[in-house]
Amino acid sequence: MRATSRRLLSCLTALVLVAGGLLAVAPTASADVTYVPENWNGKVVYLSQACHDRGDTICRTNTGCRGFSENGNSYKVAVSAATQYDPEHMNLLERGYKVVRGNGLTRTNIANSNRAGADLHLPIHSNAVSNACEKGHSPERYGTHVMYVSKAGKECAGIMRWRVGASSPGTNDARQYRTDLGELNQTNAVACYLEQEYHVWDQGVSWMLDRGAWTWRIALSVDVFLGYP
């Protein structure tokens, strides 16, 4: 199936499920989108787009070099990881996963992930060490960080750090134990929280914007962690 159905699946972006039950009105966000593969492997991956709502009803974004938007990039990375066609690498749909893309408030994404029965909850973010576009620092200041709270989340974070971090320009790749994030503590699914790179240096932004070259690594990491179901 993987060899013969790749082009069909990569073009499959029909929305077959709209999740309801929003906990609050979010003017800058809309309902979840679900992508169903032709041959489902029984696993659900919830890609939670960045929404810095600060406990209210509006999704704000963080900005970086050249006007980079963390929220806008998060949306594009989620779509790419789910559906991007690459002649040499498979996306999540091609690997047989049902993908739910959450683009609401943080607490809404948590509730919808639990409602969807997700097997893996993956928030997609980018990182910062300041509020400015930095100049003159070495790559050791930046890199791919993946956060976790559970034992299984630690395993997922390690796989993601290694496979995504191998492509990112920063060299300070790490997995981090965190206990203060709702998307790690409040999901029924195993959660690992991806900070792709830092958006406060130009090389990091350039890499993140070249999504077609690396988002397949997210799909591969998921497949490795879940055991190629």
Side-chain angles (χ1 to χ4, degrees):
M1 185 278 292
R2 290 185 174 185
T4 59
S5 302
R6 300 188 74 251
R7 291 187 180 275
L8 174 63
L9 290 176
S10 64
C11 296
L12 178 60
T13 57
L15 314 182
V16 298
L17 177 66
V18 177
L22 293 180
L23 301 181
V25 176
T28 58
S30 45
D32 282 3
V33 172
T34 298
Y35 305 88
V36 179
E38 185 179 67
N39 293 290
W40 183 32
N41 62 21
K43 300 293 185 180
V44 178
V45 176
Y46 194 97
L47 301 180
S48 182
Q49 295 172 200
C51 171
H52 302 90
D53 51 78
R54 303 173 189 171
D56 56 30
T57 61
I58 298 174
C59 286
R60 299 169 182 83
T61 191
N62 293 322
T63 57
C65 299
R66 292 180 276 147
F68 178 91
S69 166
E70 181 177 355
N71 290 10
N73 177 70
S74 176
Y75 154 71
K76 292 175 181 178
V77 168
V79 172
S80 183
T83 67
Q84 176 72 42
Y85 175 72
D86 182 318
E88 297 181 1
H89 306 286
M90 291 184 290
N91 58 47
L92 284 167
L93 277 180
E94 291 169 331
R95 291 175 182 275
Y97 293 95
K98 181 188 293 185
V99 179
V100 184
R101 182 168 56 80
N103 55 3
L105 301 170
T106 301
R107 60 187 180 273
T108 302
N109 286 0
I110 292 169
N112 287 350
S113 174
N114 291 341
R115 186 178 296 113
D119 296 280
L120 180 64
H121 183 90
L122 181 61
I124 299 174
H125 288 251
S126 55
N127 220 336
V129 286
S130 69
N131 293 322
C133 184
E134 300 186 339
K135 306 293 182 184
H137 293 284
S138 68
E140 288 79 12
R141 183 172 172 84
Y142 313 105
T144 298
H145 290 191
V146 193
M147 297 178 287
Y148 69 93
V149 71
S150 67
K151 182 178 180 180
K154 182 178 182 180
E155 179 186 353
C156 174
I159 293 168
M160 196 79 60
R161 177 202 61 80
W162 181 55
R163 294 187 181 274
V164 176
S167 176
S168 68
T171 59
N172 183 26
D173 302 328
R175 60 182 178 186
Q176 299 175 329
Y177 177 71
R178 292 281 295 271
T179 61
D180 58 335
L181 297 171
E183 289 200 83
L184 294 178
N185 288 309
Q186 298 170 19
T187 58
N188 296 335
V190 174
C192 57
Y193 190 119
L194 175 64
E195 299 273 13
Q196 313 149 55
E197 245 293 355
Y198 283 75
H199 54 248
V200 293
W201 72 312
D202 196 68
Q203 286 176 262
V205 166
S206 294
W207 175 77
M208 285 188 285
L209 294 177
D210 189 18
R211 289 171 289 269
W214 66 269
T215 55
W216 61 268
R217 293 175 178 273
I218 295 176
L220 175 59
S221 298
V222 170
D223 222 4
V224 171
F225 172 67
L226 291 176
Y228 300 95

